[in-house]
DNA sequence: GGTGATAATGACCGACCAGTCAGTCATATT
DNA sequence: AATATGACTGACTGGTCGGTCATTATCACC
């Protein structure tokens, strides 16, 4: 039995080497790295894990990425832009009210980040950021900085229309990002112990930020 | 030269073995571990670093802590309580307005956490939390849970007095913690690229949360 | 069906580090 | 002064893992 099964085992498990389009291989490796890093963090993830999950040998990973750091950096750099694109569109369209734009951003964030595995990636950036200045710098430049720019326009418009309960918010647009940030931390850290209703969190914050609809349209600034 | 300097070197660098009160040793090790973990993170900190910084040999650390995990867990568990004590007092005292209590909490947080090395510890908890469920659980139970309890009382009182612009906040007291959380992340991640005025951040949020003083005292709920 | 070019493999190397333990020595005790 | 104690030391071990490279498989094209 031993002999036979071993032989069969080997025959069956025989590695099918498969050449791939380099682009596709890269993507597969990145997908695998995403999963590994997301569930175990940077330090605890072994290159061999990444390779195994992608169904290839360790050496192959190094044909596509110079080292572990580069793999990580490339990974986290390629995850955020799409959302920001959406935001830009909302702002360009002046017929959309600021409140609606922000609420759409929150909805987008919930659907595309909080409720997907991307939330783990985002948390990873927060966690490992200080160890990877390049990542932190990239995120600030590409995401945060732009996001704040968009928010400033949006909040400025809202203030001009008298839609903000506290117009000074325009000067600290970071506040708008605080609830999403809290939700990321909470859901990845405390969710097992206490559930957080993020829908309610965001809705409540919106109601706090913007004046109620019924109090509007009776003159702006004053 | 070689001989002499070596001899002198040895003589000068001669390790002074020094016995200590175990309590004190423990404290020294914890202090050293604090510094090491804060500046390099959990994975990148070597037990030898911790020992060297405490001026002792590696083995000695293991006389006081069973392993690296235990050292870390013990460390982060012992950092948070004092602030919460203060908060408790503010709440007990009904003559203090809710707004003032929250603003004192923010001030305390800035002075005792944001502007000290403790901010790195707090960030460490956020970053490594998922790897140490015991830590996350401890923090939820001892800090978050209690903090939310205090906030619920405070916000409830504020709502009853008509001091909240949006009384629904009572149901999501987590929102009050969002700005401090943001400030921690920001200052430890993006500060090199863009300064955040935390004083202004907190003040603006307070002004958004609570109705302005001049609008008060003309009847509560309605 | 041969042949060069290239992708893929995985055994291997060496640096690194948590944790151990046999031995040392400062101090207390007698 | 002799002895006992146990806190302290640091060389060592066992294991892990990032990164390399000689070898092998696959493919495209003659």
């Amino acid at each position: 039995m031993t002999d036979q099964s071993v032989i069969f085992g080997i025959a069956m498990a025989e590695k099918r080497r498969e050449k791939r389009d380099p682009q596709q291989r890269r993507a597969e490796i990145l997908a695998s790295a995403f999963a590994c890093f997301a569930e175990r963090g940077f330090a605890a993830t072994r290159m061999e894990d990444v390779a195994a999950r992608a169904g290839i040998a360790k050496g192959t990973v190094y044909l596509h990425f110079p080292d572990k750091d580069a793999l990580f950096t490339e990974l986290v750099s390629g995850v955020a832009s799409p959302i920001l694109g959406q935001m830009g569109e909302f702002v360009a369209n002046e017929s959309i009210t600021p409140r609606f734009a922000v609420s759409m951003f929150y909805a987008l964030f919930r659907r595309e980040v909080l409720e997907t595995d991307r939330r783990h990636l985002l948390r990873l950036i927060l966690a490992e950021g200080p160890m990877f200045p390049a990542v932190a710098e990239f995120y600030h430049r590409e995401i945060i900085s732009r996001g704040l720019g968009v928010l400033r326009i949006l909040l400025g418009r809202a203030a001009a229309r008298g839609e903000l309960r506290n117009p000074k918010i325009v000067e600290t647009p970071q506040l708008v990002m605080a609830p999403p940030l809290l939700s990321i931390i909470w859901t990845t850290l405390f969710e097992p112990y206490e559930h957080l209703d993020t829908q309610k969190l965001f809705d409540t914050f919106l109601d706090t930020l913007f004046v109620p609809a019924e109090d509007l349209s009776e003159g702006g600034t004053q």
Side-chain angles (χ1 to χ4, degrees), chain A:
Chain A
M1 169 193 169
T2 314
D3 270 345
Q4 204 182 49
S5 64
V6 163
I7 290 168
F8 267 86
I10 287 172
M12 278 154 49
E14 191 181 24
K15 283 283 172 194
R16 275 223 61 72
R17 278 193 190 198
E18 201 173 346
K19 288 201 180 186
R20 283 291 179 81
D21 171 53
Q23 290 304 319
Q24 199 178 337
R25 253 293 128 79
R26 261 183 86 84
E28 285 171 6
I29 295 171
L30 282 170
S32 165
F34 181 120
C36 292
F37 285 135
E39 79 185 23
R40 327 210 355 144
F42 178 81
T45 301
R46 293 174 307 140
M47 290 302 268
E48 217 165 325
D49 297 337
V50 175
R53 196 149 186 162
I56 58 179
K58 184 163 64 150
T60 307
V61 177
Y62 285 91
L63 297 177
H64 297 268
F65 300 91
D67 57 27
K68 197 182 178 187
D69 280 28
L71 177 59
F72 181 77
T73 305
E74 170 123 0
L75 178 65
V76 298
S77 300
V79 198
S81 321
I83 289 190
L84 214 57
Q86 284 270 5
M87 275 302 279
E89 293 176 24
F90 285 135
V91 181
N93 187 341
E94 293 217 13
S95 68
I96 293 176
T97 69
R99 174 173 176 143
F100 185 71
V102 175
S103 79
M104 283 312 287
F105 165 65
Y106 285 161
L108 205 63
F109 183 82
R110 288 187 68 231
R111 191 156 43 83
E112 298 296 328
V113 180
L114 268 183
E115 288 165 5
T116 71
D117 283 342
R118 277 210 268 281
R119 71 182 187 278
H120 292 119
L121 234 294
L122 190 45
R123 136 164 276 294
L124 208 54
I125 291 160
L126 300 179
E128 310 279 4
M131 306 297 179
F132 297 85
V135 170
E137 197 273 338
F138 174 87
Y139 257 76
H140 176 259
R141 179 164 39 79
E142 297 295 324
I143 313 297
I144 307 297
S145 191
R146 289 192 198 175
L148 289 183
V150 167
L151 282 175
R152 257 184 279 266
I153 295 175
L154 226 44
L155 293 175
R157 197 179 294 162
R161 298 192 196 178
E163 292 172 7
L164 290 180
R165 294 179 118 143
N166 175 18
K168 273 193 293 180
I169 290 266
V170 179
E171 291 165 44
T172 54
Q174 286 93 344
L175 273 176
V176 177
M177 291 176 165
L181 193 62
L182 174 82
S183 69
I184 278 284
I185 301 284
W186 189 285
T187 56
T188 56
L189 206 59
F190 301 131
E191 194 65 22
Y193 315 114
E194 183 177 356
H195 173 68
L196 175 67
D197 184 339
T198 57
Q199 177 76 64
K200 195 180 202 179
L201 185 84
F202 293 151
D203 286 350
T204 304
F205 187 70
L206 281 170
D207 284 340
T208 309
L209 214 55
F210 294 95
V211 301
E214 63 266 25
D215 296 358
L216 271 177
S217 74
E218 56 168 278
T221 319
Q222 177 83 320

